[in-house]
Amino acid sequence: MTFKIVEIDKMENRRVVFFVPSFMGYEKSIDEALKQNFSDVKLFDQRSVQTGFGKALSKKFPRLLRKRNVGYYKSNVDSISFIPTDVVVIQGDMIEHETVQYMRKLWPEVKIRLYMWDNLQNLKGVETKISWFDSVSSFDPGDVETNDLIKFRPLFFSQDYANYAASNARANEVKYDASFIGTIHSDRNRVVSDIFQSLDHDATIFDYRYLQTRWIYFVYKMLKRDFKGSKFSDFKYQTLSAEAIADVVDQSNVVIDINHPKQRGLTIRTFELLAMNKKMITTNAEVKRYDFYNPANIHVIQRDKDIVVPKLFLQSEYVKIDEKIVNKYSITSWLFDILEIKNEI
């Protein structure tokens, strides 16, 4: 399977509304990219609930929030002061058919689009909603292969990361041999521990294992085997800003990336590292099928096997990737592809 970025219409006047989950500051990066490219834009959180408990409830029992979802979206739609040409929904687990119909009645010419940065297996009920949208894209090749209505579009890096790579002001001093910053889910805690333990004992590391709420730690402590010997202080309960993450990445020789075992799509961290010319250790073998893959930069491990990270890989220099390839994964290229605008970047 060859991954292609589909290029369609030429740039035209667009008025764009985004519903995007608030997550690790990526919604701010999208908002900035929208404002740089379009005069009329509006961005909302796609979730009608923002608390940890509410998010957990929406995943397990999404129908309980139906009325809340309808009211939340209607209130936001009614607040928009312009007639949009495009509405983009990221994830789509909290949008109802009634809402889509309301938008189409209010704006008869609007294109309503869905983008998924999680896969359908993790997005309860979204597969039944695909026919509601004018276009559907996903970061996960597995979903694309099983549904002809879904187009493939990988994730992106924000301008912050490109700026770090381009800046001559940074000395690029390495403080950490390896670093990890990410949300703990599935087997990620165990795999991260296994990777760190595989490194030389004198290796310097930065370890930021994030949990969405404090109570999740105690639930995991009771239910997950790899949490048995853990301490509350082993985890962080506040997200880092994009700038703080970029700082750590900039000061790391190698960055660890652990994909969800049910996902084949590449994480957003992969593209951030691409923008910053940084090497990566990853569990996702799918990366070998992308045009920027180079084994000198990306070391693939198996999450259930003994992990070996060659010392040479930790110490060697990054091999730069062609700029045209890198630019395909910028946030602006991603945005134009989602909106089906010919990308001439």
Side-chain angles (χ1 to χ4, degrees):
M1 176 181 177
T2 301
F3 300 149
K4 289 185 177 180
I5 305 302
V6 180
E7 296 183 351
I8 309 181
D9 306 323
K10 288 186 177 180
M11 183 63 173
E12 57 188 88
N13 185 29
R14 299 290 184 95
R15 300 173 300 279
V16 186
V17 175
F18 255 72
F19 288 91
V20 55
S22 176
F23 180 68
M24 302 291 284
Y26 295 122
E27 71 284 357
K28 296 177 184 176
S29 298
I30 293 172
D31 195 33
E32 289 171 4
L34 285 169
K35 289 173 179 175
Q36 287 171 2
N37 289 283
F38 307 100
S39 57
D40 292 312
V41 299
K42 197 71 176 176
L43 184 140
F44 302 100
D45 196 322
Q46 83 99 19
R47 297 187 182 104
S48 65
V49 290
Q50 280 76 41
T51 65
F53 177 76
K55 292 174 186 177
L57 186 67
S58 71
K59 284 184 175 293
K60 293 293 184 183
F61 309 103
R63 303 317 302 163
L64 292 179
L65 295 173
R66 183 187 176 283
K67 290 183 89 173
R68 184 185 182 96
N69 292 342
V70 170
Y72 171 79
Y73 273 83
K74 185 178 185 301
S75 175
N76 285 324
V77 166
D78 288 344
S79 73
I80 298 168
S81 60
F82 57 87
I83 299 175
T85 57
D86 301 86
V87 172
V88 179
V89 181
I90 307 292
Q91 301 297 74
D93 52 311
M94 302 199 85
I95 194 167
E96 307 293 342
H97 197 213
E98 183 177 336
T99 300
V100 175
Q101 291 175 316
Y102 182 70
M103 288 192 290
R104 293 198 185 282
K105 185 176 180 180
L106 196 63
W107 308 312
E109 303 300 319
V110 73
K111 297 290 185 184
I112 304 178
R113 310 176 187 279
L114 174 66
Y115 182 81
M116 295 173 287
W117 62 30
D118 204 343
N119 63 348
L120 287 173
Q121 192 173 353
N122 287 334
L123 291 172
K124 196 168 185 177
V126 171
E127 191 163 15
T128 64
K129 302 179 181 182
I130 286 174
S131 62
W132 302 354
F133 298 90
D134 295 295
S135 69
V136 180
S137 306
S138 174
F139 90 123
D140 197 290
D143 288 340
V144 176
E145 290 169 2
T146 58
N147 193 313
D148 293 338
L149 296 177
I150 304 175
K151 289 180 280 190
F152 179 71
R153 211 312 170 181
L155 284 163
F156 56 85
F157 59 84
S158 71
Q159 192 58 43
D160 290 339
Y161 291 88
N163 291 344
Y164 264 73
S167 174
N168 293 322
R170 301 194 62 80
N172 220 20
E173 297 175 357
V174 173
K175 291 184 179 179
Y176 312 109
D177 293 304
S179 64
F180 172 81
I181 301 172
T183 305
I184 293 303
H185 56 60
S186 59
D187 62 349
R188 189 176 263 185
N189 186 50
R190 176 189 60 79
V191 178
V192 171
S193 294
D194 288 349
I195 294 172
F196 281 143
Q197 288 172 13
S198 74
L199 304 180
D200 288 346
H201 70 277
D202 58 347
T204 55
I205 63 173
F206 183 90
D207 186 359
Y208 200 97
R209 307 186 205 195
Y210 168 70
L211 292 173
Q212 297 94 323
T213 62
R214 287 168 169 75
W215 62 263
I216 287 179
Y217 167 78
F218 298 104
V219 172
Y220 283 175
K221 181 80 170 175
M222 290 187 294
L223 300 179
K224 294 173 78 72
R225 181 180 301 175
D226 57 304
F227 269 68
K228 296 303 181 185
S230 69
K231 301 189 296 290
F232 182 82
S233 58
D234 292 338
F235 303 91
K236 312 299 182 184
Y237 305 91
Q238 290 184 330
T239 59
L240 291 177
S241 67
E243 183 178 1
I245 294 172
D247 270 332
V248 173
V249 170
D250 191 52
Q251 296 164 21
S252 302
N253 200 27
V254 175
V255 177
I256 297 167
D257 173 74
I258 312 297
N259 68 309
H260 193 291
K262 294 180 181 179
Q263 294 175 343
R264 288 171 53 190
L266 302 185
T267 63
I268 204 165
R269 185 60 37 80
T270 307
F271 303 103
E272 293 167 350
L273 301 181
L274 178 65
M276 291 187 68
N277 302 322
K278 287 294 179 175
K279 294 186 296 179
M280 174 174 66
I281 298 170
T282 182
T283 52
N284 194 344
E286 281 288 323
V287 71
K288 295 180 179 180
R289 305 171 71 184
Y290 287 71
D291 51 4
F292 58 84
Y293 173 71
N294 185 325
N297 298 333
I298 302 174
H299 181 63
V300 179
I301 61 172
Q302 297 183 55
R303 64 201 320 140
D304 294 320
K305 304 289 185 181
D306 288 340
I307 294 172
V308 177
V309 179
K311 195 168 186 177
L312 179 62
F313 179 78
L314 285 179
Q315 297 174 345
S316 62
E317 295 293 320
Y318 181 87
V319 177
K320 289 202 72 172
I321 305 300
D322 186 274
E323 188 176 348
K324 288 184 178 179
I325 292 177
V326 176
N327 282 342
K328 284 168 55 177
Y329 303 100
S330 72
I331 192 169
T332 301
S333 290
W334 174 84
L335 184 61
F336 282 15
D337 288 334
I338 298 306
L339 294 172
E340 298 182 303
I341 297 170
K342 184 173 177 62
N343 190 346
E344 297 179 349
I345 296 174

